[in-house]
Amino acid sequence: MNPLTGIDPRDHAYYELGDALLVRGEGVRVWDSTGREYLDCVSGTFNLVLGHNHPAVVAAVKEQADDLVFASSSFQTGPTNEVMRQLVELSPANLTRVNLRSASGSTANEGAIKIAQWHTGKRDVIVPFRGHVGQSIATASYNGTSRMRAPFPYHMPGAVRVPEPYCHRCFYRQTPDSCGLWCVDRIEDFIAYASSGSVAAMIIEPISGVGGNVVPPPGYLQRLKDFCEAREIVLIFDENQTGMGRTGRLFAAEHFGVSPHILTTAKGLTGSGLPLAAILTEEHLVGMPRSMHGFTYGGHTLSAAAATVALEIVRQPEFLATVRTTGAVLLERLTALRADHPCLDEVRGVGLMLGVELAEPDGSRSPRLAAALNKALSARGVITRVSEHGEGNVIELRPPLVLTVEDAHLIADRFGEALEML
């Protein structure tokens, strides 16, 4: 409340804001104006992989700001050249080109789709149920959930939505040990009967983010790549959430041993919140004119300076090993809570990308319990999110990758306390 005018600043906001006014952040923690401390288990907006105000990133940004804050993507700069070099060095070997002319995951995904359409001369895009491609009007047109499209009268045509590899609630009512990966093979039916017959690409997160932290069964992604290549469909991995070490590997493609034809990465690319996105492609996909996809703040020089430092930190084997170790501790602790809390239907994830699914006593999905648990966790100073933009039944945990084992135990302890309040 402004003491002079008596007006709450939130009265000016277009959308609803919470009560807390955040004033400081360090590592996994943030503090509000009253001095209250929170454990940020969603890394800002899943983008602060190195936590709040990482000193090496802050120093790099300050140094770069003294020299050159911004340059058009028509020019080379030292930071953008270094980002491209490192990304090619660290990504799957077949990805040799980098397009930095995007500033967000949405625009990177849109650019990847454009590249696929340009080179194949085809139109349609296959997306999993609950898949989240982005928030622009084009990418929202491809999103899996209808709720994100319903208010808007016009959508991009050509989205083909198919069941995702959600083994816990299999669309085909199969089990991983016996299904034979129908969730890949039966995409053929959707192409034959639900598409235009002209399919350019399939875009998928190796582990779904907004869609509920669904981890595919062994062999799924390789079968999917084989399926796409047999039909000359460009396979795009959206690694905006899974990239930059989130799964304990630099990219989840490495974790699953599968190399896509195109990979997009944003969110955590700069480590500490500055906007930058990249589209990595195979050599034969080069050629779409630069004028077909470019944004003012794409390849931002200051952001690239942050990314060069973030990549150097995250790529270190000991850093990634710690992510895997800490993630395993948190996963084990949360899984153990199921014994006393049957509403925890499943706990799943890889590295520090975890999801806790809530269910009603009859086994049905429970957005009600997920919302209640999210609120109870916030009351205990733990910031989490609910899947499907607050409408789903999975609590999403994406803490900064600098999370310690001690803080992993603290999160699990508070999780248990919050469950007691349901």
Side-chain angles (χ1 to χ4, degrees):
M1 185 72 69
N2 186 318
L4 298 179
T5 64
I7 297 175
D8 188 329
R10 288 177 295 179
D11 292 341
H12 302 303
Y14 185 81
Y15 48 85
E16 183 179 355
L17 294 171
D19 294 332
L21 172 64
L22 298 184
V23 296
R24 186 168 68 89
E26 181 180 341
V28 182
R29 289 168 166 78
V30 290
W31 289 266
D32 67 17
S33 56
T34 71
R36 188 181 180 202
E37 178 185 289
Y38 302 82
L39 288 163
D40 183 2
C41 288
V42 291
S43 301
T45 309
F46 310 139
N47 57 336
L48 308 180
V49 296
L50 295 179
H52 294 267
N53 292 49
H54 191 284
V57 176
V58 171
V61 170
K62 288 180 177 179
E63 182 178 353
Q64 183 61 42
D66 286 336
D67 295 332
L68 182 68
V69 170
F70 176 81
S72 163
S73 59
S74 300
F75 296 92
Q76 296 184 62
T77 70
T80 52
N81 282 353
E82 178 62 13
V83 168
M84 290 189 290
R85 183 193 71 78
Q86 288 202 58
L87 284 174
V88 169
E89 183 177 288
L90 297 171
S91 66
N94 62 313
L95 303 177
T96 57
R97 295 293 188 117
V98 182
N99 183 324
L100 283 179
R101 302 194 77 209
S102 301
S104 70
S106 295
T107 53
N109 284 344
E110 188 169 322
I113 290 169
K114 286 180 180 178
I115 290 169
Q117 291 172 328
W118 177 272
H119 279 276
T120 64
K122 300 176 184 178
R123 297 184 295 276
D124 293 354
V125 180
I126 301 172
V127 183
F129 290 176
R130 299 185 184 85
H132 182 75
V133 184
Q135 295 276 28
S136 69
I137 196 65
T139 54
S141 297
Y142 296 122
N143 285 341
T145 54
S146 62
R147 185 179 67 84
M148 300 298 292
R149 303 186 303 277
F152 307 108
Y154 299 107
H155 307 130
M156 292 290 293
V160 181
R161 299 176 184 87
V162 301
E164 73 268 71
Y166 191 1
C167 296
H168 186 60
R169 297 183 185 275
C170 177
F171 178 85
Y172 298 108
R173 299 188 178 182
Q174 301 295 306
T175 58
D177 58 342
S178 64
C179 75
L181 293 175
W182 283 17
C183 47
V184 175
D185 294 346
R186 298 202 66 176
I187 294 174
E188 187 67 59
D189 296 329
F190 288 83
I191 293 174
Y193 301 110
S195 79
S196 70
S198 175
V199 179
M202 178 166 185
I203 184 166
I204 184 171
E205 298 169 283
I207 298 173
S208 68
V210 171
N213 216 89
V214 174
V215 182
Y220 171 83
L221 290 173
Q222 184 60 59
R223 177 80 71 87
L224 186 64
K225 183 179 181 182
D226 294 343
F227 179 95
C228 289
E229 290 189 336
R231 293 155 183 81
E232 298 184 337
I233 295 169
V234 177
L235 179 61
I236 303 167
F237 277 6
D238 170 355
E239 294 233 25
N240 290 302
Q241 284 199 38
T242 57
M244 286 299 287
R246 174 59 61 190
T247 66
R249 305 289 180 188
L250 196 72
F251 294 109
E254 178 187 353
H255 180 86
F256 292 103
V258 180
S259 301
H261 306 119
I262 300 179
L263 184 152
T264 60
T265 185
K267 287 197 180 292
L269 182 54
T270 63
S272 293
L274 279 74
L276 188 69
I279 307 168
L280 286 72
T281 80
E282 294 182 323
E283 195 72 24
H284 71 95
L285 292 173
V286 172
M288 186 178 78
R290 60 181 288 116
S291 60
M292 293 294 178
H293 188 76
F295 298 86
T296 300
Y297 295 104
H300 200 291
T301 314
L302 202 63
S303 297
T308 61
V309 175
L311 283 162
E312 287 290 356
I313 294 170
V314 173
R315 70 186 294 174
Q316 298 304 315
E318 61 271 20
F319 183 92
L320 293 170
T322 299
V323 172
R324 296 192 294 273
T325 298
T326 309
V329 169
L330 185 54
L331 180 65
E332 181 180 10
R333 283 290 314 276
L334 293 174
T335 301
L337 292 172
R338 295 184 64 211
D340 296 321
H341 302 281
C343 64
L344 298 186
D345 197 32
E346 186 176 49
V347 180
R348 55 181 178 256
V350 180
L352 282 170
M353 186 170 183
L354 306 179
V356 179
E357 180 161 352
L358 282 297
E360 298 288 349
D362 64 1
S364 61
R365 299 169 72 247
S366 183
R368 176 186 68 85
L369 286 173
L373 180 55
N374 188 61
K375 184 176 181 180
L377 284 164
S378 179
R380 282 152 185 77
V382 178
I383 302 171
T384 58
R385 284 196 176 194
V386 177
S387 62
E388 299 180 46
H389 296 285
E391 301 291 326
N393 70 316
V394 178
I395 295 290
E396 300 171 334
L397 293 116
R398 316 272 192 274
L401 306 186
V402 295
L403 183 77
T404 64
V405 170
E406 291 75 18
D407 280 339
H409 283 298
L410 180 58
I411 292 166
D413 290 343
R414 293 186 182 178
F415 219 98
E417 293 168 7
L419 283 166
E420 294 293 340
M421 303 304 295
L422 297 186

